[in-house]
Amino acid sequence: MGCCSSTCVDDDLIEPNERTRLLNEDENLNDDNNQNFHMISQLREQEKLNQIVQKTAENLIDISNIRTFDQLQSQDIIERTREYQEIIVRCENQNNDLKEKINKLPGISNNNKSFYDNVNGFATIINTSIKTEDKSQMSNIINEIQDSLNDIKIEDVGEFVITFE
Amino acid sequence: MDIQKEFDNIISKTQGLQAIIVSDKDGVILIQSTNPAFSLNNIDSSLSTSFAVACDQIGKIGLSKNKSITTFYKYHQMIQFNYNPLIITFIADKNANTGYLLNIGNDFEKPLSAIANSIVNSENNNYNNKQ
């Protein structure tokens, strides 16, 4: 006549959807007679939910609160500025690292402007200033390359036919 | 202040650099040095707070903590460094040497760390006193 087939579906194999419980059913939750157990289970559940919320907040990229920042009161600004000035004066007396660093910085002044012209006006991203001899060497190399390119002669050899076999 | 004079010196030595600002995440300025021909009046006061938020959020994309952000505008470029709790901002002409400015900014980390640590200690002390 026919057959009626059935399958035994294991609950563990069901794919989670929006209604699937986040936390596993705890058998002890059904024990209504034991109130302490119930309370402890609720606390554990709350703790696990808080962990999930915290993990989501850490990984969520959200810049919507940029415009809603409260601006500091002027009194707070003045007080903080004063505090920072004291800290800076105290630190200045303690170390001279910054001064040494600054004194070692090479200057990039208007005298170096010709370097930018040599690279066709593009602002180059280099991390230190260039020595004069390196600059002149690079200028010479660039000029030689330009001369070489201008000396390339192209000869017309007629039609160039390739046969495909 | 000596540091102020040193920053003025850097600006005079570096072509295209218009301003150096050291501030905290709330925008309170510690040190500010500008080229006499340049004005900071047109710049929004939320410069540092916006950078602080952007820096925090962009650190979540999986490439570890953000160190600096370089932004290019029509006539200027801005480089901001995150040396928590300090933020260093360089404002320069668009054709200024970006790599050189990045190098200077990276060199500031160690010398300014003493100031940064003092600020963190001061905040912790204030917090403990309130408790």
Side-chain angles (χ1 to χ4, degrees):
Chain A
M1 291 277 293
C3 70
C4 179
S5 54
S6 63
T7 62
C8 179
V9 179
D10 191 352
D11 284 338
D12 290 340
L13 295 179
I14 293 177
E15 281 192 6
N17 56 27
E18 60 271 14
R19 294 192 182 280
T20 309
R21 200 176 158 76
L22 279 173
L23 300 174
N24 292 330
E25 292 256 358
D26 192 347
E27 287 176 6
N28 292 329
L29 286 176
N30 295 326
D31 186 0
D32 291 332
N33 296 328
N34 194 336
Q35 285 188 349
N36 282 341
F37 233 159
H38 186 63
M39 238 169 38
I40 290 170
S41 299
Q42 273 191 329
L43 285 172
R44 270 195 296 161
E45 187 177 338
Q46 189 62 35
E47 199 181 304
K48 283 185 185 174
L49 286 172
N50 287 342
Q51 281 176 2
I52 291 169
V53 168
Q54 191 183 356
K55 195 176 170 189
T56 308
E58 280 171 12
N59 291 330
L60 178 68
I61 294 177
D62 176 23
I63 58 168
S64 59
N65 57 353
I66 280 183
R67 290 285 176 196
T68 59
F69 269 121
D70 295 329
Q71 290 211 341
L72 285 179
Q73 299 297 322
S74 54
Q75 186 59 33
D76 292 334
I77 294 175
I78 292 169
E79 197 179 309
R80 228 190 255 194
T81 307
R82 186 181 48 78
E83 199 181 313
Y84 288 160
Q85 298 306 317
E86 285 170 15
I87 291 173
I88 289 169
V89 169
R90 200 165 57 231
C91 292
E92 265 178 353
N93 296 336
Q94 283 172 5
N95 71 22
N96 290 321
D97 283 351
L98 182 58
K99 244 190 226 181
E100 285 171 15
K101 286 273 183 196
I102 289 166
N103 288 337
K104 284 181 190 168
L105 285 175
I108 292 188
S109 65
N110 286 331
N111 293 335
N112 295 345
K113 208 175 175 186
S114 58
F115 174 69
Y116 294 97
D117 293 335
N118 283 342
V119 289
N120 296 323
F122 288 108
T124 53
I125 297 180
I126 53 175
N127 62 358
T128 56
S129 70
I130 311 276
K131 292 179 192 167
T132 314
E133 48 267 26
D134 290 339
K135 256 191 332 183
S136 57
Q137 186 184 19
M138 279 194 270
S139 300
N140 291 337
I141 291 171
I142 288 170
N143 290 334
E144 283 177 15
I145 291 172
Q146 206 162 8
D147 291 339
S148 306
L149 288 172
N150 289 336
D151 286 340
I152 292 177
K153 288 181 175 45
I154 300 174
E155 190 182 327
D156 184 10
V157 294
E159 286 185 7
F160 189 41
V161 179
I162 300 172
T163 56
F164 291 95
E165 292 177 8
Chain B
M1 241 191 326
D2 285 349
I3 290 183
Q4 176 77 54
K5 288 178 194 165
E6 301 303 334
F7 279 11
D8 292 338
N9 200 10
I10 294 176
I11 286 185
S12 64
K13 284 169 87 171
T14 309
Q15 184 183 11
L17 182 58
Q18 304 293 344
I20 303 176
I21 305 163
V22 179
S23 62
D24 68 2
K25 288 188 175 185
D26 295 321
V28 178
I29 294 174
L30 282 81
I31 308 162
Q32 178 177 297
S33 178
T34 55
N35 191 327
F38 184 77
S39 168
L40 285 171
N41 292 337
N42 295 331
I43 296 179
D44 199 302
S45 57
S46 64
L47 182 67
S48 298
T49 50
S50 304
F51 170 74
V53 172
C55 216
D56 278 341
Q57 298 300 320
I58 209 158
K60 295 178 185 176
I61 62 170
L63 294 175
S64 78
K65 194 177 141 189
N66 175 250
K67 289 172 64 178
S68 70
I69 296 178
T70 305
T71 318
F72 292 93
Y73 298 90
K74 193 173 180 184
Y75 300 113
H76 295 96
Q77 59 179 297
M78 186 165 66
I79 305 174
Q80 289 175 294
F81 297 87
N82 177 24
Y83 296 139
N84 192 30
L86 297 178
I87 295 171
I88 303 176
T89 304
F90 286 178
I91 302 175
D93 293 340
K94 64 170 183 173
N95 289 326
N97 192 326
T98 309
Y100 184 71
L101 295 174
L102 284 167
N103 206 37
I104 297 176
N106 289 332
D107 285 344
F108 279 169
E109 183 177 8
K110 209 172 163 191
L112 291 178
S113 61
I115 299 175
N117 291 337
S118 298
I119 291 173
V120 169
N121 290 338
S122 172
E123 283 174 0
N124 289 339
N125 289 340
N126 289 342
Y127 178 74
N128 291 336
N129 289 339
K130 280 180 188 170
Q131 294 290 315

